[in-house]
């Protein structure tokens, strides 16, 4: 395994695989902060050349964190499909990239190889791709999953209806739910970020949203994004829970910072299958984001993209219904501007898809980042072209509880119009019954939440 090269008379040597992966990455503020970013464009080019000649086997044998020191590494290694790995073990990253982008390579082909790839491989090949490459490659691989409805099918893009309220007022939450549904949002999940972490509050929101879903026969999923332990206690007390949520990261230490472990995730997954209200079989919802491990000082000298891929590798163990990269939420300390946020969003989507994950993305930014609405809409359109499973949907794109900017009910409706895409099939049929959708488009009734009161709602 060669970790050096000479470009234009200048020799570049890299300490180890982690070092060369970091130097090969497109620049971003978090990697600069950690001292892992390329120190010049020449060094980045040299590092990409070295990465291009690493093999799938090389990267498997040199995980970002050793097997005996990290349970995420153990989850990935122990779960690898040996037959799929043997098929590609000798391929270089350059060869893998060309194979993925070959017009004759299908999503089914990628799906056969996917179980034999480690997260480090997925991250490495992404580093050799342009933004357009990432869109083309991500679009090929459709990851279809089933909970109460079906996500990820060709020609469809879904959304998480995010009806957050600063006081967790149930009437306020349901008001946003009604508006979002009237625009065709919410087929991925109606997922509430609670402002408090109490078990009772979590249970009340789960019940209130589920009661509404049942009354109006809305074919979607409910979720409250409390800590895993809180959701498990609410479920024990009889709360109706479709999807079990947790933020995860790419190292054992970063997950410890979230107050979770693989054992706890295993228990929650089993509990959701046994006691949850979802039809299944996919019952987990994860959120990730580049910079999570760095912010916890648990990145082990590994760049943000590679650590993000490792989080996806952990998620693969649970066959989730949703994985959402909250790409611009952590802040400009990790992704400083619209360009870095856009690149990270496309990377995360492709890497997740390559690892067999049903990827969504929160195309978002915080108010102290150098980004604006145009950056956010550009990323949303690119993700739509890339075949993203779902996006966020909140009133006016402005989350009044979390104080960040993301995609709105209107954005998502416009994206479907622009790309000719549809909601999840079960949800589309419900919208037609409600008079909100006809012939593949929203009707004149769309955007009117009073349909839920005019027809006798409480």
């Amino acid at each position: 395994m060669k970790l050096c090269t000479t470009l234009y008379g200048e020799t570049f040597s890299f300490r180890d695989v982690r070092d060369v992966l970091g130097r090969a990455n497109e620049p971003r503020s978090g990697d600069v902060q950690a001292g892992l970013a390329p120190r010049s464009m020449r060094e980045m080019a040299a590092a990409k050349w070295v990465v291009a000649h690493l093999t799938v086997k090389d990267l498997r044998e040199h995980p970002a964190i050793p097997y005996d020191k990290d349970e995420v590494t153990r989850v990935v290694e122990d779960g690898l499909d040996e037959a799929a790995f043997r098929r590609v073990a000798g391929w270089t990253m350059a060869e893998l990239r060309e194979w993925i982008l070959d017009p004759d390579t299908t999503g089914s082909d990628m799906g056969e190889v996917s179980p034999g790839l480690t997260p480090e491989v997925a991250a490495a090949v992404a580093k050799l791709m342009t933004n357009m490459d990432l869109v083309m490659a991500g679009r090929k691989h459709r990851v279809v999953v089933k909970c109460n409805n079906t996500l990820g099918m060709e020609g469809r893009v879904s959304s998480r209806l995010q009806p957050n309220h600063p006081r967790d007022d149930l009437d306020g939450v349901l008001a946003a739910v009604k508006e979002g549904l009237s625009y065709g949002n919410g087929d991925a999940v109606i997922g509430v970020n609670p402002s408090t972490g109490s078990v009772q509050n979590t249970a009340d929101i789960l019940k209130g949203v589920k009661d509404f879903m049942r009354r109006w026969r809305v074919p979607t999923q409910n979720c409250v994004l409390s800590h895993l332990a809180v959701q498990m206690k609410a479920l024990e007390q009889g709360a109706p829970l479709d999807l079990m949520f947790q933020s995860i990261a790419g190292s054992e230490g970063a997950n410890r910072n979230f107050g979770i472990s693989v054992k706890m995730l295993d228990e929650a997954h089993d509990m959701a299958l046994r006691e949850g209200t979802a039809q299944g079989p996919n019952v987990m919802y994860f959120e990730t984001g580049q910079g999570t491990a760095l912010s916890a000082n648990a990145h082990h000298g590994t760049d943000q993209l590679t650590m993000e891929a490792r989080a996806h590798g952990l998620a693969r163990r649970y066959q989730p219904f949703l994985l959402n990269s909250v790409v611009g939420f952590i802040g400009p300390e990790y992704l400083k501007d619209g360009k870095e946020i856009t690149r990270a969003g496309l990377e995360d989507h492709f890497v997740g898809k390559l690892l067999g994950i049903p990827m969504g993305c929160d195309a978002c930014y915080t108010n102290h980042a150098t980004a604006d609405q145009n950056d956010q809409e550009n990323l949303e359109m690119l993700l739509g072209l890339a075949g993203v499973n779902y996006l966020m949907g909140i009133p006016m794109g402005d989350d009044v509880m979390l104080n960040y900017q993301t995609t709105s009910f209107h954005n998502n409706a416009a994206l479907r119009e622009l790309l000719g895409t549809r909601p999840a099939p079960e949800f589309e049929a419900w919208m037609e019954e409600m008079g909100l959708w006809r012939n593949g488009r929203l009707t004149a009734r769309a955007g009117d939440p009073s349909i839920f009161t005019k027809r006798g709602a409480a």
Side-chain angles (χ1 to χ4, degrees):
M1 184 176 63
K2 186 178 179 182
L3 295 177
C4 64
T5 189
T6 301
L7 291 181
Y8 301 104
E10 185 177 0
T11 298
F12 296 88
S13 297
F14 301 97
R15 183 179 64 254
D16 52 26
V17 170
R18 284 182 303 182
D19 185 38
V20 74
L21 287 176
R23 307 302 178 189
N25 213 31
E26 300 295 314
R28 59 210 54 195
S29 56
D31 288 343
V32 171
Q33 175 190 166
L36 305 172
R39 288 158 290 204
S40 68
M41 294 299 289
R42 280 196 175 192
E43 184 181 46
M44 182 170 69
K48 287 180 185 291
W49 191 95
V50 172
V51 168
H53 291 80
L54 296 177
T55 66
V56 172
K57 184 173 183 288
D58 289 334
L59 288 161
R60 180 183 182 180
E61 292 177 348
H62 296 85
I65 312 172
Y67 183 93
D68 61 345
K69 294 184 178 179
D70 188 85
E71 65 178 4
V72 174
T73 302
R74 293 193 288 275
V75 162
V76 170
E77 176 63 25
D78 295 348
L80 217 61
D81 185 308
E82 293 294 343
F85 169 74
R86 285 194 297 271
R87 176 179 169 184
V88 297
W91 291 11
T92 66
M93 293 302 99
E95 290 168 334
L96 179 60
R97 174 188 178 276
E98 292 304 306
W99 178 79
I100 290 170
L101 294 174
D102 189 314
D104 293 331
T105 300
T106 66
S108 296
D109 295 331
M110 292 171 65
E112 291 175 3
V113 167
S114 173
L117 302 180
T118 66
E120 285 81 0
V121 169
V125 74
K127 295 169 191 288
L128 305 181
M129 292 186 174
T130 66
N131 285 7
M132 186 177 288
D133 292 340
L134 294 169
V135 169
M136 292 180 67
R139 185 178 182 86
K140 283 188 176 188
H141 195 192
R142 307 301 309 195
V143 182
V144 179
V145 285
K146 173 78 175 180
C147 187
N148 295 332
N149 60 12
T150 310
L151 260 60
M153 298 172 69
E154 182 75 32
R156 298 181 185 271
V157 61
S158 300
S159 62
R160 169 189 159 191
L161 204 171
Q162 185 171 304
N164 296 344
H165 191 279
R167 292 186 291 105
D168 289 341
D169 178 78
L170 188 57
D171 288 338
V173 167
L174 293 179
V177 168
K178 293 171 186 177
E179 183 184 13
L181 291 172
S182 74
Y183 278 105
N185 286 251
D187 49 334
V189 63
I190 300 175
V192 182
N193 294 91
S195 61
T196 62
S198 74
V199 174
Q200 187 61 53
N201 202 42
T202 295
D204 288 346
I205 297 172
L206 284 168
K207 184 178 185 301
V209 171
K210 192 67 172 181
D211 286 348
F212 179 88
M213 288 167 54
R214 287 169 172 161
R215 178 164 194 163
W216 292 97
R217 302 186 304 280
V218 187
T220 188
Q221 297 68 226
N222 75 331
C223 181
V224 173
L225 284 71
S226 300
H227 188 273
L228 200 65
V230 173
Q231 295 168 83
M232 292 171 75
K233 289 179 182 177
L235 189 53
E236 283 177 357
Q237 296 177 12
L241 178 149
D242 291 330
L243 289 176
M244 185 74 75
F245 166 83
Q246 182 56 47
S247 294
I248 59 173
S251 74
E252 181 177 343
N255 286 320
R256 191 181 306 118
N257 192 59
F258 282 136
I260 61 167
S261 64
V262 170
K263 180 181 178 182
M264 189 176 185
L265 288 168
D266 287 349
E267 292 171 353
H269 180 234
D270 180 64
M271 187 178 186
L273 287 171
R274 286 185 292 103
E275 301 181 32
T277 47
Q279 296 175 33
N282 307 111
V283 295
M284 298 297 284
Y285 172 13
F286 296 120
E287 285 193 344
T288 64
Q290 289 195 30
T292 301
L294 176 58
S295 69
N297 195 27
H299 61 294
H300 296 266
T302 303
D303 67 273
Q304 292 185 170
L305 172 56
T306 303
M307 291 306 295
E308 173 74 2
R310 286 172 55 85
H312 297 178
L314 172 60
R316 184 163 61 177
R317 176 181 179 91
Y318 304 99
Q319 299 181 314
F321 184 68
L322 306 173
L323 192 149
N324 178 41
S325 169
V326 195
V327 66
F329 184 72
I330 301 179
E333 301 85 358
Y334 307 98
L335 299 168
K336 72 175 181 180
D337 56 25
K339 182 177 181 179
E340 291 188 4
I341 291 170
T342 297
R343 174 71 189 187
L346 297 178
E347 289 171 345
D348 296 352
H349 176 260
F350 162 71
V351 164
K353 286 281 190 71
L354 184 58
L355 293 173
I357 298 295
M359 283 300 299
C361 188
D362 194 343
C364 64
Y365 61 97
T366 58
N367 291 318
H368 60 310
T370 308
D372 59 23
Q373 186 72 15
N374 289 328
D375 294 312
Q376 176 265 310
E377 291 183 5
N378 287 344
L379 177 53
E380 179 174 16
M381 289 186 285
L382 288 169
L383 288 165
L385 286 171
V388 70
N389 276 28
Y390 72 102
L391 298 153
M392 299 299 105
I394 66 174
M396 302 303 292
D398 184 4
D399 193 306
V400 296
M401 197 274 283
L402 294 176
N403 291 310
Y404 80 117
Q405 313 303 310
T406 185
T407 45
S408 70
F409 301 152
H410 304 77
N411 284 147
N412 296 334
L415 186 71
R416 284 180 178 150
E417 183 78 14
L418 180 66
L419 299 181
T421 53
R422 297 169 179 254
E426 303 89 342
F427 194 86
E428 181 181 27
W430 173 82
M431 288 181 67
E432 289 175 342
E433 291 176 7
M434 294 292 291
L436 297 169
W437 187 268
R438 186 177 297 112
N439 298 324
R441 299 182 64 184
L442 291 172
T443 68
R445 297 186 69 185
D448 179 8
S450 70
I451 62 169
F452 295 105
T453 55
K454 290 176 180 176
R455 296 176 61 173

